[in-house]
Structure formats: C-alpha cells, structure tokens
Amino acid sequence: IPIIASGQYHFNKESISRQILNLTDKISKAERFDSKYVYYEAKTTEQYKRFEKLTELATIDELKELMNHKSPYVRVYSFWALGKKYYNNIDSIILSHKDDNAIIETQSGCIGYQDNVVHLLIEIATPNYWDLECAKLTKGQLEDLYLKIYNK
C-alpha cells in the first residue's frame, strides 16, 4: 500500500491518553479508511467501529493533536471525529494540511479507491457530501480553500 508523506508534523503523544493511543495504534495498523457501510453487504467494519470509539472518547484537544500523527489514517479519522463533534475551525485544519498528500486506501460502500489526505479532509467537510451529520464548510470557505490549496 503506497503511503507518500509530503509533510512532517510534530506529534506530542504525551498529550494523548493511553486509551486513545491504543485505539490509534489499531487504526494505523489496519491501513484503510472505511465509511460506515462497506461492500455489498453494507457491513460496518472493525476499523469504522474504532473510529466511532475515537469520536466518543477523544477530546477536541486530543483530536487536534492527532492531526499531527504519523499515520494518515489516524489524521483523516481524527479530522472526521472533529467534524462529528462540530468543531468549528475545520477550515484552518484543512489549510494546515494543504500539502498532506499521503495516499491512503479507502472503502466507501462497494467502491474501494486511493485518495490523498487533503482531498479526503475536503470531502468530509463538503456540504451534502460524505457524512451529513458533521461540521461542514460554507460555500465561501470551500471556494477559498480550493483557491489556496489547488491554485499554487
């Protein structure tokens, strides 16, 4: 599985509880980003259940720090968890990851594909897309991010 990291982030694991670190270790090792229902059976995977647990147990501060984790899977799930907690500065987090082009394996429904981290962060935060029950960008924020990220 190709993982191409284009940015280095300083991760302070001392600020994360042991329970959350154990959970993120498992997320990292699974090496796939799953939506809630995958495959033709529309099943919920163990990886997604770990994400639900992360969302339930991690604090906002822990999730923000996990955005610096070496695993792109942990970064994307942490961002999604911030969205599920309706953290209202998601645009600044996306912008701080504008060069995060690590490629990850994703599974959404019956479609498996590869994508990069920054694109997945934008998808999660796009109105009427991915998960309707999480923080979303406004149209203006989305347009501004696209200009800052893709028009270099």
Side-chain angles (χ1 to χ4, degrees):
I1 296 174
I3 297 178
I4 304 163
S6 64
Q8 294 297 323
Y9 303 98
H10 177 70
F11 177 58
N12 178 13
K13 76 183 216 178
E14 286 74 34
S15 65
I16 310 296
S17 73
R18 172 64 30 214
Q19 184 178 27
I20 298 301
L21 287 174
N22 289 338
L23 194 55
T24 56
D25 284 346
K26 291 176 184 172
I27 288 171
S28 181
K29 288 176 184 165
E31 293 190 340
R32 198 174 73 212
F33 179 71
D34 292 340
S35 65
K36 186 169 186 174
Y37 302 112
V38 299
Y39 307 120
Y40 294 108
E41 307 87 30
K43 71 178 189 172
T44 301
T45 64
E46 288 304 311
Q47 182 75 324
Y48 185 84
K49 290 175 186 175
R50 289 182 201 105
F51 159 67
E52 289 182 314
K53 204 69 160 159
L54 178 70
T55 303
E56 174 190 338
L57 299 175
T59 67
I60 295 286
D61 287 337
E62 285 176 315
L63 292 169
K64 286 170 36 182
E65 184 59 38
L66 288 167
M67 291 301 302
N68 298 315
H69 196 279
K70 66 181 179 182
S71 168
Y73 299 96
V74 172
R75 293 194 302 273
V76 174
Y77 274 126
S78 296
F79 179 80
W80 194 3
L82 282 166
K84 294 295 259 181
K85 291 178 180 272
Y86 289 92
Y87 178 71
N88 54 359
N89 288 324
I90 57 174
D91 57 331
S92 64
I93 290 180
I94 294 171
L95 195 54
S96 70
H97 285 268
K98 68 182 174 66
D99 296 319
D100 194 342
N101 291 309
I103 302 296
I104 64 173
E105 298 290 326
T106 65
Q107 187 70 41
S108 180
C110 57
I111 300 170
Y113 59 100
Q114 294 181 335
D115 208 342
N116 69 39
V117 171
V118 69
H119 186 251
L120 282 168
L121 301 185
I122 291 170
E123 281 189 350
I124 290 167
T126 297
N128 301 314
Y129 197 70
W130 196 265
D131 180 351
L132 302 180
E133 297 177 2
C134 71
K136 298 294 183 179
L137 298 166
T138 65
K139 183 179 177 184
Q141 288 173 315
L142 191 59
E143 289 171 356
D144 188 46
L145 280 172
Y146 267 102
L147 287 173
K148 289 177 180 174
I149 293 171
Y150 297 113
N151 290 337
K152 297 178 185 178

